[in-house]
């Protein structure tokens, strides 16, 4: 049998760790998963091309943003050049060359170096230019360049939003799929202490929050990083003194942000926990709506919901207050940069108005470019914190290792093609992992011969249903082993290939939301419509279905709300006829039905049982009378009697007592 390969768990937990933990612990391992940052990095590595283009677009847009102020500086210098030129102009006695020497070396005047200048020529700003990679750029060309930058910024904004959004959806869907994949492979015991609504919140809402944040956070972060440092570089070239002031303000803001991060994180975690509990409560009440309706407790439930929401409101209110405070501090801090710069530059350069005009306009624009992404980032802070909380919660699902190895990984486990031998319980002892202190089935041995029928009887809580759970491998025996085909350990088989040969009918049949057709087909997806109808006829369901206006396309409500108990049972039996299993497990399949319906269903079941290994868990005499063997279980005693109905009826013992006490009727 192939050894189980390492599971590829990306989020902060190496496969090696997982396997080690699996070896050393008996029960499900829960370990804290990766943070939001680690999750994003994982997906960025996974989607290399998308990440490459995302970074490229961010670089292009950031460079365009960063260059903006430099263009303004040059444009302003060109526009203001005529006033400097006129200062030096001396009644047509200066040449172009002489004036070029007098201008500060950044701006030049066009024309032949020896040409004498007229006032009209000098006062026209179109005759001034700056060099840009050897090109002569007048102020109008700087405007065109600025406009081109806007186009670049527009196009890159579209693509960064497109790529970020796509990445976000990919992450959301992938996390959801991986969580679901993990949940369906999870042990039954995993669900013992969990509310479905709580799991739903993690799968539906938490993954969506992570996806939404992934759509904007990486792009904003990369842009903020490049723009911040790029702008800083440009600001230094414009004026280093003013740049130092900007750095000091940013440093203070960073410290404020960092210190509030942990507090808000804790608050956000509490809020998510509360809403998860509430969602768990809602699903719990919706699924037990019959109890509410039959008890007339609607008003009580309303009251309860109001109460639980008060707690949620209180926690959310504290979080919102804190978030608003941070947002105000950040916005005020960031906006104050520009005012502080205006004041400082006025103080520093009041004696040089021309320098002040050119520098200040360019510098303010540069500060604007630098703080823009920081502003966006500060608005994202609460989202990032919330996403981090969600990541830990989703990872709790993804990183929980099932105790039972179903061998579903590629190339694993023994494939069961046919049930061609007996089922052997060897030295089996069982305690529920959720309650290990209670011994349910003391050590016992038993052989279920191929093709024969068996019935388990016993008082309530004796462990009859536990037998079916062991046969379906909901649980493994605490000690001992179960073999199929005489000597194949159930623990070693590819579970799905075995369950494919097993039919399970329980007291509360599981009906899926969907059509009658889909419901019968579940378990044999390749079946044709004719085969489905034939199975339905065998289960005496066909006439009933045909009496409905939409026939086999009738949508059955969630959990078969629209069907009676007997109709649901027939549907499951039809499903079993279609599946044609080699082992049949009937877990009190007819105990919820009245005598007349039970009699009809029993006939269908007997047709189904023919020539199959059948294990029934039964209360009713009618179910067990014709079985080849009856196994009597005593509470905490395991098997206390085995025999045919005729033998046990005569024997003094447990069965006779149950029989005489009327427990078999
Ligand atoms: N998931 C579980 N965790 C812990 N204990 C459990 C669990 N499921 C069942 N038990 C306990 O195991 C014992 C046997 O349960 P089981 O359902 O097999 O009894 P049963 O004979 O089928 O009873 P009934 O005839 O009432 O259906 C009971 O004491 C029950 O409380």
């Amino acid at each position: 049998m192939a050894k189980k390969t390492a599971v590829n768990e990306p989020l902060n937990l190496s496969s090696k760790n997982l396997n080690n933990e699996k070896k050393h612990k008996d029960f499900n391992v829960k370990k804290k998963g990766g943070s939001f940052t680690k999750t994003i990095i994982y997906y960025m590595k996974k989607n290399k091309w998308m990440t490459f283009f995302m970074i490229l677009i961010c670089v292009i847009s950031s460079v365009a943003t960063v260059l903006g102020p430099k263009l303004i500086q040059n444009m302003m210098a060109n526009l203001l050049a005529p006033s400097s030129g006129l200062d030096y102009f001396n009644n047509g006695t200066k040449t172009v060359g002489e004036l070029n020497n007098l201008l500060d070396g950044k701006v030049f005047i066009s024309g032949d170096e020896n040409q004498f200048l007229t006032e009209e020529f000098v006062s026209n700003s179109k005759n001034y230019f700056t060099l840009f990679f050897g090109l002569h750029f007048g102020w109008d060309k700087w405007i065109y360049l600025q406009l081109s930058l806007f186009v670049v910024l527009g196009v890159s904004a579209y693509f960064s939003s497109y790529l970020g959004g796509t990445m976000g959806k990919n992450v959301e869907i992938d996390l959801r799929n991986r969580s679901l994949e993990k949940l369906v492979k999870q042990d039954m015991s995993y669900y013992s202490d969990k509310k479905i609504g709580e799991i739903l919140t993690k799968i539906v809402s938490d993954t969506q929050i992570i996806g939404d944040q992934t759509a904007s956070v990486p792009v904003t972060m990369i842009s903020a990083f490049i723009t911040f440092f790029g702008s800083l570089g440009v600001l230094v070239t414009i004026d280093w003194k003013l740049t130092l002031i900007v750095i000091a303000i940013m440093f203070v803001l960073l410290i404020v942000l960092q210190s509030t991060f942990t507090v808000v994180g804790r608050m956000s975690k509490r809020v998510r926990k509360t809403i998860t509990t509430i969602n768990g409560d809602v699903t719990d009440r919706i699924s037990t709506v019959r109890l509410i309706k039959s008890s007339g407790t609607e008003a009580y439930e309303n009251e309860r919901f109001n109460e639980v929401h008060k707690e949620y409101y209180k926690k959310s209110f504290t979080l919102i207050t804190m978030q608003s405070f941070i947002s105000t501090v950040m916005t005020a801090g960031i906006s104050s940069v520009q005012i502080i710069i205006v004041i400082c530059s006025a103080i520093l350069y009041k004696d040089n108005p021309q320098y002040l005009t050119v520098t200040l306009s360019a510098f303010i624009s540069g500060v604007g470019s630098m703080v823009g992404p920081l502003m966006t980032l500060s608005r994202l802070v609460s989202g990032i914190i919330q996403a981090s909380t969600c990541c830990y919660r989703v990872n709790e699902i993804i990183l929980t290792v099932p105790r039972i190895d179903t061998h579903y990984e590629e190339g694993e486990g023994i494939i069961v093609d046919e049930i061609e031998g007996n089922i052997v319980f060897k030295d089996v002892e069982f305690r529920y992992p959720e309650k290990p202190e209670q011994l349910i089935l003391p050590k016992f041995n038993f052989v279920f011969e191929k093709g024969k029928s068996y019935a388990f009887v016993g008082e309530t809580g004796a462990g009859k249903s536990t037998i079916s759970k062991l046969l379906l491998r909901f649980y493994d025996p605490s000690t001992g082993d179960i073999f199929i085909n005489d000597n194949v350990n159930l623990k070693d088989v590819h579970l799905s290939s075995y369950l494919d040969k097993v039919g399970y009918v329980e007291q509360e049949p599981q009906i899926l939301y969907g059509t009658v057709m889909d419901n019968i087909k579940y378990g044999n997806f390749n079946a044709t419509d004719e085969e489905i109808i034939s199975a339905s006829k065998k289960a005496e369901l066909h006439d009933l279905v045909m009496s409905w206006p939409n026939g086999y396309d009738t949508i059955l409500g969630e959990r078969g709300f629209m069907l009676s108990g007997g109709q649901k049972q027939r549907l499951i039996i039809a499903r079993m006829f279609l599946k044609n299993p080699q082992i049949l497990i009937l877990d009190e399949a007819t105990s919820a039905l009245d005598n007349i319906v039970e009699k009809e269903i029993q006939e269908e079941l007997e047709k189904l049982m023919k020539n199959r290994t059948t294990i029934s868990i039964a209360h009713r005499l009618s179910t067990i009378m014709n079985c080849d063997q009856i196994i009597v279980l005593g509470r905490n005693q395991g098997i206390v009697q085995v025999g045919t109905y005729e033998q046990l009826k005569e024997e003094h013992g447990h069965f006779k007592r149950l029989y005489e006490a009327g427990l078999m009727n």
Side-chain angles (χ1 to χ4, degrees), residues 452-621:
K452 291 200 172 170
S453 57
Y454 299 85
F456 279 87
V457 297
E459 63 262 74
T460 179
K464 304 180 293 291
S465 297
T466 305
I467 298 283
S468 59
K469 290 178 195 167
L470 289 171
L471 283 165
L472 293 162
R473 221 182 154 213
F474 286 179
Y475 297 90
D476 279 337
S478 310
T479 59
D481 290 293
I482 298 170
F483 298 94
I484 55 164
N485 289 343
D486 297 305
N487 55 13
V488 179
N489 198 322
L490 199 52
K491 283 181 194 158
D492 297 333
V493 305
H494 181 276
L495 193 58
S496 182
S497 74
Y498 159 71
L499 292 176
D500 206 30
K501 318 287 174 302
V502 178
Y504 178 52
V505 185
E506 55 186 321
Q507 187 180 347
E508 184 56 51
Q510 305 267 301
I511 308 285
L512 302 160
Y513 181 88
T515 63
V516 178
M517 202 68 137
D518 293 339
N519 261 287
I520 299 178
K521 216 172 167 178
Y522 200 83
N524 184 0
F525 300 108
N526 299 322
T528 61
D529 288 0
E530 288 70 37
E531 286 168 333
I532 293 168
I533 291 166
S534 156
S536 169
K537 280 181 179 161
K538 284 186 199 156
E540 305 283 346
L541 182 72
H542 181 72
D543 292 343
L544 175 76
V545 174
M546 292 315 286
S547 71
W548 296 333
N550 293 326
Y552 283 90
D553 292 327
T554 307
I555 298 277
L556 300 175
E558 226 166 309
R559 285 168 288 120
F561 247 90
M562 287 154 42
L563 301 178
S564 73
Q567 289 166 348
K568 279 192 222 172
Q569 288 292 18
R570 283 206 182 113
L571 196 138
I572 303 300
I573 293 168
R575 196 188 277 168
M576 289 307 128
F577 272 119
L578 188 69
K579 187 171 183 183
N580 195 18
Q582 292 168 327
I583 299 172
L584 195 58
I585 302 169
L586 307 172
D587 194 346
E588 303 193 11
T590 58
S591 63
L593 308 178
D594 64 47
N595 281 342
I596 300 166
V597 180
E598 193 260 348
K599 199 162 173 290
E600 288 168 19
I601 298 284
Q602 190 59 39
E603 281 167 19
E604 312 315 325
L605 283 175
E606 270 166 28
K607 276 194 244 163
L608 190 61
M609 284 159 70
K610 226 169 236 151
N611 302 324
R612 300 171 209 265
T613 311
T614 308
I615 294 134
S616 313
I617 285 110
H619 278 299
R620 301 204 192 205
L621 203 55

Side-chain angles (χ1 to χ4, degrees), residues 75-90 94 98-109 117 119 121-125 128 352-355 357-358:
M75 188 181 72
M76 288 297 290
N78 272 35
L79 278 171
L80 292 173
S83 58
S84 317
L86 280 171
D87 279 350
Y88 302 123
F89 179 69
N90 205 353
K94 288 238 180 323
E98 281 167 325
L99 201 51
N100 272 342
N101 283 338
L102 289 167
L103 290 168
D104 66 3
K106 285 182 190 147
V107 187
F108 303 95
I109 194 161
L117 296 162
E119 184 174 356
F121 190 87
V122 176
S123 60
N124 186 355
S125 61
Y128 293 82
N352 190 348
Q354 185 148 357
Y355 179 81
T357 318
V358 171

Side-chain angles (χ1 to χ4, degrees), residues 151-321:
V151 174
V152 171
L153 279 171
V155 172
S156 44
Y158 170 81
F159 279 108
S160 66
S161 163
Y162 172 81
L163 290 171
T166 312
M167 175 84 101
K169 273 292 157 246
N170 282 351
V171 170
E172 179 187 332
I173 292 167
D174 193 61
L175 282 177
R176 224 172 256 182
N177 282 341
R178 287 175 53 220
S179 306
L180 266 176
E181 191 188 327
K182 211 54 186 246
L183 282 171
V184 290
K185 284 185 184 172
Q186 209 43 269
D187 301 338
M188 283 307 278
S189 52
Y190 176 82
Y191 295 94
S192 304
D193 61 346
K194 289 180 188 60
K195 288 184 184 165
I196 298 303
E198 294 185 356
I199 296 175
L200 271 182
T201 310
K202 291 180 185 174
I203 293 198
V204 178
S205 161
D206 286 2
T207 51
Q208 193 179 5
I209 290 173
I210 298 169
D212 288 349
Q213 293 303 322
T214 308
S216 48
V217 172
V219 171
T220 315
M221 276 207 170
I222 298 169
S223 301
F225 185 82
I226 303 172
T227 314
F228 184 82
F229 287 103
S231 299
L232 219 56
V234 170
L235 289 184
V236 171
T237 66
I238 298 174
D239 191 289
W240 66 268
K241 286 183 202 154
L242 293 175
T243 310
L244 280 183
I245 298 167
V246 172
I247 293 174
I249 303 169
M250 289 299 161
F251 188 68
V252 174
L253 284 177
L254 206 74
I255 291 174
V256 175
L257 197 66
Q258 173 69 30
S259 50
T260 50
F261 214 83
T262 330
V263 184
V264 178
R266 226 175 287 137
M267 287 177 177
S268 168
K269 220 173 248 178
R270 266 184 240 137
V271 170
R272 289 306 299 162
K273 209 168 164 195
T274 314
I275 191 65
T276 306
T277 314
I278 292 174
N279 288 352
D281 216 62
V282 173
T283 28
D284 184 50
R285 297 305 177 183
I286 300 285
S287 59
T288 51
V289 71
R290 277 183 216 212
L291 175 66
I292 298 171
K293 287 275 156 210
S294 62
S295 317
T297 48
E298 289 91 340
Y300 166 78
E301 290 299 336
N302 279 347
E303 187 71 18
R304 257 190 81 253
F305 276 126
N306 282 336
E307 279 307 311
V308 288
H309 277 101
K310 272 184 197 160
E311 175 74 8
Y312 176 56
Y313 177 80
K314 222 164 84 186
K315 285 184 179 149
S316 304
F317 180 75
T318 326
L319 178 65
I320 292 167
T321 313

